[in-house]
Amino acid sequence: MTIQWFPGHMAKARRQVQENLKLVDIIFELIDARLPISSRNPMIDEVIHQKPRLLILNKADMADESETRKWVQYFADKGQTAVAINSFEGKGLQSVTKAAKEILAEKWERMKSRGMKPRAIRAMIVGIPNVGKSTLINRLAKKNIAKTGNMPGVTKAQQWIKVGNEIELLDTPGILWPKFEDQEVGLKLAITGAIKDAVTNMEDIAVYGLKFLSIHYPNRLEERFGITSVSEDLVETFDHIGKLRRVFGQGGEIEYDKVAELIIRDVRDQHFGKLSFDLVDEQLEKETIQEK
Ligand SMILES: Nc1nc2c(ncn2[C@@H]2O[C@H](COP(=O)(O)OP(=O)(O)OP(=O)(O)O)[C@@H](O)[C@H]2O)c(=O)[nH]1
């Protein structure tokens, strides 16, 4: 689904999240495990004030496992609980319930000590488009409830979905916009297919992917395309891949747009294995520079 995020739509989405915020004890912020920074809403902290939050790194089945472990630790170091799951196959769902209970344990204890009866934890999922919100709701509910493609601003009666005895989940997820004004973030969202409709052209996305692989995963690039670096002259690299994979037009010429599509497809279909495009070390480096 494509949402054109005009300022009016952003305000509406934000308002909708903020209205539902009042109904819940905790926010489940869904992010893409391959992009734990780039797939977060840039204004999340402003949209969600003073609510306990659990970060859920979804699509962990597609991310570099060692990187995901480092991300969970990165967030822990900042005092934020994060869990990695695969909603598609329903893996790691228990960790969501467990972490939510731990985050709210003190509050629940306080309520009990005041003589209040313990009740289910009320939660709402928020995240950018296509991050897997509906898939997770359906997995937690163990049935098909959430229609994929809820548009912000479309109001309907809210329902609570029971997740075991311990959690009640709002059936409508909050959709927030990504950081599309940052070009590199746009490229990362595009190369992973995190956002289907590319903000930039296919060749730019493919070149970004190749360069990223040559720096961070050169062995995998060599295995698939027989190169470890991308030449200054990009035509040379595209020619090489085009010939290797026989991407010829009718006159025998190499079709560069098809080569670009092939590279992107290879990344998305995991022919380079599990990949993470936001890397903890790079993020820490950025933060050190910002602090100076
Ligand atoms: N591999 C993998 N794919 C997933 C996972 N979770 C969701 N998907 C896929 O990601 C795509 C988007 O999932 P949705 O549940 O529709 O995402 P959404 O956040 O509800 O999307 P919007 O309705 O656009 O806001 C679908 O093709 C899902 O099958 C996961 O953990 N692993």
mmCIF file with all atom_site columns, all heavy atoms in Angstrom, residues 55-68:
data_model
loop_
_atom_site.group_PDB
_atom_site.id
_atom_site.type_symbol
_atom_site.label_atom_id
_atom_site.label_alt_id
_atom_site.label_comp_id
_atom_site.label_asym_id
_atom_site.label_entity_id
_atom_site.label_seq_id
_atom_site.pdbx_PDB_ins_code
_atom_site.Cartn_x
_atom_site.Cartn_y
_atom_site.Cartn_z
_atom_site.occupancy
_atom_site.B_iso_or_equiv
_atom_site.pdbx_formal_charge
_atom_site.auth_seq_id
_atom_site.auth_comp_id
_atom_site.auth_asym_id
_atom_site.auth_atom_id
_atom_site.pdbx_PDB_model_num
ATOM 1   N N   . LEU A 1 55 ? 10.083 -2.174  22.065 1.00 0.00 ? 55 LEU A N   1
ATOM 2   C CA  . LEU A 1 55 ? 10.514 -2.163  20.667 1.00 0.00 ? 55 LEU A CA  1
ATOM 3   C C   . LEU A 1 55 ? 10.490 -3.594  20.146 1.00 0.00 ? 55 LEU A C   1
ATOM 4   O O   . LEU A 1 55 ? 11.081 -4.490  20.755 1.00 0.00 ? 55 LEU A O   1
ATOM 5   C CB  . LEU A 1 55 ? 11.933 -1.612  20.542 1.00 0.00 ? 55 LEU A CB  1
ATOM 6   C CG  . LEU A 1 55 ? 12.153 -0.187  21.024 1.00 0.00 ? 55 LEU A CG  1
ATOM 7   C CD1 . LEU A 1 55 ? 13.604 0.225   20.823 1.00 0.00 ? 55 LEU A CD1 1
ATOM 8   C CD2 . LEU A 1 55 ? 11.234 0.767   20.267 1.00 0.00 ? 55 LEU A CD2 1
ATOM 9   N N   . ILE A 1 56 ? 9.803  -3.785  19.046 1.00 0.00 ? 56 ILE A N   1
ATOM 10  C CA  . ILE A 1 56 ? 9.737  -5.132  18.466 1.00 0.00 ? 56 ILE A CA  1
ATOM 11  C C   . ILE A 1 56 ? 10.425 -5.114  17.111 1.00 0.00 ? 56 ILE A C   1
ATOM 12  O O   . ILE A 1 56 ? 9.983  -4.435  16.183 1.00 0.00 ? 56 ILE A O   1
ATOM 13  C CB  . ILE A 1 56 ? 8.269  -5.594  18.326 1.00 0.00 ? 56 ILE A CB  1
ATOM 14  C CG1 . ILE A 1 56 ? 7.575  -5.548  19.697 1.00 0.00 ? 56 ILE A CG1 1
ATOM 15  C CG2 . ILE A 1 56 ? 8.206  -6.991  17.732 1.00 0.00 ? 56 ILE A CG2 1
ATOM 16  C CD1 . ILE A 1 56 ? 6.109  -5.979  19.668 1.00 0.00 ? 56 ILE A CD1 1
ATOM 17  N N   . LEU A 1 57 ? 11.540 -5.822  17.031 1.00 0.00 ? 57 LEU A N   1
ATOM 18  C CA  . LEU A 1 57 ? 12.286 -5.912  15.773 1.00 0.00 ? 57 LEU A CA  1
ATOM 19  C C   . LEU A 1 57 ? 11.688 -7.046  14.961 1.00 0.00 ? 57 LEU A C   1
ATOM 20  O O   . LEU A 1 57 ? 11.981 -8.215  15.201 1.00 0.00 ? 57 LEU A O   1
ATOM 21  C CB  . LEU A 1 57 ? 13.773 -6.168  16.054 1.00 0.00 ? 57 LEU A CB  1
ATOM 22  C CG  . LEU A 1 57 ? 14.648 -4.957  16.374 1.00 0.00 ? 57 LEU A CG  1
ATOM 23  C CD1 . LEU A 1 57 ? 14.165 -4.224  17.610 1.00 0.00 ? 57 LEU A CD1 1
ATOM 24  C CD2 . LEU A 1 57 ? 16.100 -5.350  16.549 1.00 0.00 ? 57 LEU A CD2 1
ATOM 25  N N   . ASN A 1 58 ? 10.844 -6.685  14.014 1.00 0.00 ? 58 ASN A N   1
ATOM 26  C CA  . ASN A 1 58 ? 10.136 -7.694  13.227 1.00 0.00 ? 58 ASN A CA  1
ATOM 27  C C   . ASN A 1 58 ? 10.947 -8.071  11.979 1.00 0.00 ? 58 ASN A C   1
ATOM 28  O O   . ASN A 1 58 ? 11.910 -7.408  11.641 1.00 0.00 ? 58 ASN A O   1
ATOM 29  C CB  . ASN A 1 58 ? 8.756  -7.144  12.831 1.00 0.00 ? 58 ASN A CB  1
ATOM 30  C CG  . ASN A 1 58 ? 7.866  -8.221  12.259 1.00 0.00 ? 58 ASN A CG  1
ATOM 31  O OD1 . ASN A 1 58 ? 7.880  -9.366  12.710 1.00 0.00 ? 58 ASN A OD1 1
ATOM 32  N ND2 . ASN A 1 58 ? 7.066  -7.877  11.249 1.00 0.00 ? 58 ASN A ND2 1
ATOM 33  N N   . LYS A 1 59 ? 10.551 -9.121  11.327 1.00 0.00 ? 59 LYS A N   1
ATOM 34  C CA  . LYS A 1 59 ? 11.232 -9.633  10.133 1.00 0.00 ? 59 LYS A CA  1
ATOM 35  C C   . LYS A 1 59 ? 12.679 -10.031 10.467 1.00 0.00 ? 59 LYS A C   1
ATOM 36  O O   . LYS A 1 59 ? 13.586 -9.877  9.637  1.00 0.00 ? 59 LYS A O   1
ATOM 37  C CB  . LYS A 1 59 ? 11.208 -8.610  8.978  1.00 0.00 ? 59 LYS A CB  1
ATOM 38  C CG  . LYS A 1 59 ? 9.802  -8.100  8.651  1.00 0.00 ? 59 LYS A CG  1
ATOM 39  C CD  . LYS A 1 59 ? 9.702  -7.418  7.309  1.00 0.00 ? 59 LYS A CD  1
ATOM 40  C CE  . LYS A 1 59 ? 8.311  -6.832  7.116  1.00 0.00 ? 59 LYS A CE  1
ATOM 41  N NZ  . LYS A 1 59 ? 8.071  -6.240  5.813  1.00 0.00 ? 59 LYS A NZ  1
ATOM 42  N N   . ALA A 1 60 ? 12.872 -10.508 11.704 1.00 0.00 ? 60 ALA A N   1
ATOM 43  C CA  . ALA A 1 60 ? 14.219 -10.903 12.125 1.00 0.00 ? 60 ALA A CA  1
ATOM 44  C C   . ALA A 1 60 ? 14.739 -12.060 11.275 1.00 0.00 ? 60 ALA A C   1
ATOM 45  O O   . ALA A 1 60 ? 15.949 -12.269 11.179 1.00 0.00 ? 60 ALA A O   1
ATOM 46  C CB  . ALA A 1 60 ? 14.220 -11.291 13.598 1.00 0.00 ? 60 ALA A CB  1
ATOM 47  N N   . ASP A 1 61 ? 13.836 -12.792 10.637 1.00 0.00 ? 61 ASP A N   1
ATOM 48  C CA  . ASP A 1 61 ? 14.250 -13.907 9.772  1.00 0.00 ? 61 ASP A CA  1
ATOM 49  C C   . ASP A 1 61 ? 15.047 -13.408 8.565  1.00 0.00 ? 61 ASP A C   1
ATOM 50  O O   . ASP A 1 61 ? 15.779 -14.168 7.951  1.00 0.00 ? 61 ASP A O   1
ATOM 51  C CB  . ASP A 1 61 ? 13.024 -14.693 9.287  1.00 0.00 ? 61 ASP A CB  1
ATOM 52  C CG  . ASP A 1 61 ? 11.974 -13.804 8.634  1.00 0.00 ? 61 ASP A CG  1
ATOM 53  O OD1 . ASP A 1 61 ? 11.567 -12.802 9.262  1.00 0.00 ? 61 ASP A OD1 1
ATOM 54  O OD2 . ASP A 1 61 ? 11.563 -14.100 7.490  1.00 0.00 ? 61 ASP A OD2 1
ATOM 55  N N   . MET A 1 62 ? 14.915 -12.119 8.230  1.00 0.00 ? 62 MET A N   1
ATOM 56  C CA  . MET A 1 62 ? 15.625 -11.594 7.062  1.00 0.00 ? 62 MET A CA  1
ATOM 57  C C   . MET A 1 62 ? 16.874 -10.800 7.434  1.00 0.00 ? 62 MET A C   1
ATOM 58  O O   . MET A 1 62 ? 17.643 -10.406 6.568  1.00 0.00 ? 62 MET A O   1
ATOM 59  C CB  . MET A 1 62 ? 14.675 -10.719 6.243  1.00 0.00 ? 62 MET A CB  1
ATOM 60  C CG  . MET A 1 62 ? 13.501 -11.496 5.692  1.00 0.00 ? 62 MET A CG  1
ATOM 61  S SD  . MET A 1 62 ? 12.818 -10.721 4.236  1.00 0.00 ? 62 MET A SD  1
ATOM 62  C CE  . MET A 1 62 ? 11.673 -9.602  5.004  1.00 0.00 ? 62 MET A CE  1
ATOM 63  N N   . ALA A 1 63 ? 17.038 -10.525 8.725  1.00 0.00 ? 63 ALA A N   1
ATOM 64  C CA  . ALA A 1 63 ? 18.157 -9.677  9.157  1.00 0.00 ? 63 ALA A CA  1
ATOM 65  C C   . ALA A 1 63 ? 19.379 -10.498 9.551  1.00 0.00 ? 63 ALA A C   1
ATOM 66  O O   . ALA A 1 63 ? 19.263 -11.675 9.908  1.00 0.00 ? 63 ALA A O   1
ATOM 67  C CB  . ALA A 1 63 ? 17.707 -8.814  10.334 1.00 0.00 ? 63 ALA A CB  1
ATOM 68  N N   . ASP A 1 64 ? 20.540 -9.863  9.506  1.00 0.00 ? 64 ASP A N   1
ATOM 69  C CA  . ASP A 1 64 ? 21.801 -10.463 9.939  1.00 0.00 ? 64 ASP A CA  1
ATOM 70  C C   . ASP A 1 64 ? 21.701 -10.739 11.451 1.00 0.00 ? 64 ASP A C   1
ATOM 71  O O   . ASP A 1 64 ? 21.536 -9.814  12.243 1.00 0.00 ? 64 ASP A O   1
ATOM 72  C CB  . ASP A 1 64 ? 22.906 -9.437  9.627  1.00 0.00 ? 64 ASP A CB  1
ATOM 73  C CG  . ASP A 1 64 ? 24.298 -9.941  9.952  1.00 0.00 ? 64 ASP A CG  1
ATOM 74  O OD1 . ASP A 1 64 ? 24.439 -10.763 10.888 1.00 0.00 ? 64 ASP A OD1 1
ATOM 75  O OD2 . ASP A 1 64 ? 25.239 -9.493  9.283  1.00 0.00 ? 64 ASP A OD2 1
ATOM 76  N N   . GLU A 1 65 ? 21.786 -12.020 11.809 1.00 0.00 ? 65 GLU A N   1
ATOM 77  C CA  . GLU A 1 65 ? 21.489 -12.386 13.202 1.00 0.00 ? 65 GLU A CA  1
ATOM 78  C C   . GLU A 1 65 ? 22.432 -11.740 14.214 1.00 0.00 ? 65 GLU A C   1
ATOM 79  O O   . GLU A 1 65 ? 22.003 -11.310 15.285 1.00 0.00 ? 65 GLU A O   1
ATOM 80  C CB  . GLU A 1 65 ? 21.512 -13.908 13.361 1.00 0.00 ? 65 GLU A CB  1
ATOM 81  C CG  . GLU A 1 65 ? 20.218 -14.531 12.851 1.00 0.00 ? 65 GLU A CG  1
ATOM 82  C CD  . GLU A 1 65 ? 20.309 -16.014 12.567 1.00 0.00 ? 65 GLU A CD  1
ATOM 83  O OE1 . GLU A 1 65 ? 21.229 -16.674 13.116 1.00 0.00 ? 65 GLU A OE1 1
ATOM 84  O OE2 . GLU A 1 65 ? 19.464 -16.513 11.793 1.00 0.00 ? 65 GLU A OE2 1
ATOM 85  N N   . SER A 1 66 ? 23.723 -11.658 13.864 1.00 0.00 ? 66 SER A N   1
ATOM 86  C CA  . SER A 1 66 ? 24.659 -11.095 14.849 1.00 0.00 ? 66 SER A CA  1
ATOM 87  C C   . SER A 1 66 ? 24.377 -9.604  15.017 1.00 0.00 ? 66 SER A C   1
ATOM 88  O O   . SER A 1 66 ? 24.499 -9.041  16.105 1.00 0.00 ? 66 SER A O   1
ATOM 89  C CB  . SER A 1 66 ? 26.105 -11.342 14.427 1.00 0.00 ? 66 SER A CB  1
ATOM 90  O OG  . SER A 1 66 ? 26.423 -10.593 13.285 1.00 0.00 ? 66 SER A OG  1
ATOM 91  N N   . GLU A 1 67 ? 23.968 -8.966  13.934 1.00 0.00 ? 67 GLU A N   1
ATOM 92  C CA  . GLU A 1 67 ? 23.634 -7.541  13.996 1.00 0.00 ? 67 GLU A CA  1
ATOM 93  C C   . GLU A 1 67 ? 22.379 -7.348  14.862 1.00 0.00 ? 67 GLU A C   1
ATOM 94  O O   . GLU A 1 67 ? 22.325 -6.437  15.679 1.00 0.00 ? 67 GLU A O   1
ATOM 95  C CB  . GLU A 1 67 ? 23.391 -7.071  12.562 1.00 0.00 ? 67 GLU A CB  1
ATOM 96  C CG  . GLU A 1 67 ? 23.813 -5.699  12.161 1.00 0.00 ? 67 GLU A CG  1
ATOM 97  C CD  . GLU A 1 67 ? 25.114 -5.143  12.714 1.00 0.00 ? 67 GLU A CD  1
ATOM 98  O OE1 . GLU A 1 67 ? 26.208 -5.674  12.454 1.00 0.00 ? 67 GLU A OE1 1
ATOM 99  O OE2 . GLU A 1 67 ? 24.993 -4.120  13.405 1.00 0.00 ? 67 GLU A OE2 1
ATOM 100 N N   . THR A 1 68 ? 21.396 -8.210  14.712 1.00 0.00 ? 68 THR A N   1
ATOM 101 C CA  . THR A 1 68 ? 20.159 -8.092  15.498 1.00 0.00 ? 68 THR A CA  1
ATOM 102 C C   . THR A 1 68 ? 20.454 -8.216  16.992 1.00 0.00 ? 68 THR A C   1
ATOM 103 O O   . THR A 1 68 ? 19.930 -7.461  17.808 1.00 0.00 ? 68 THR A O   1
ATOM 104 C CB  . THR A 1 68 ? 19.124 -9.163  15.061 1.00 0.00 ? 68 THR A CB  1
ATOM 105 O OG1 . THR A 1 68 ? 18.860 -8.974  13.668 1.00 0.00 ? 68 THR A OG1 1
ATOM 106 C CG2 . THR A 1 68 ? 17.812 -9.049  15.838 1.00 0.00 ? 68 THR A CG2 1
#
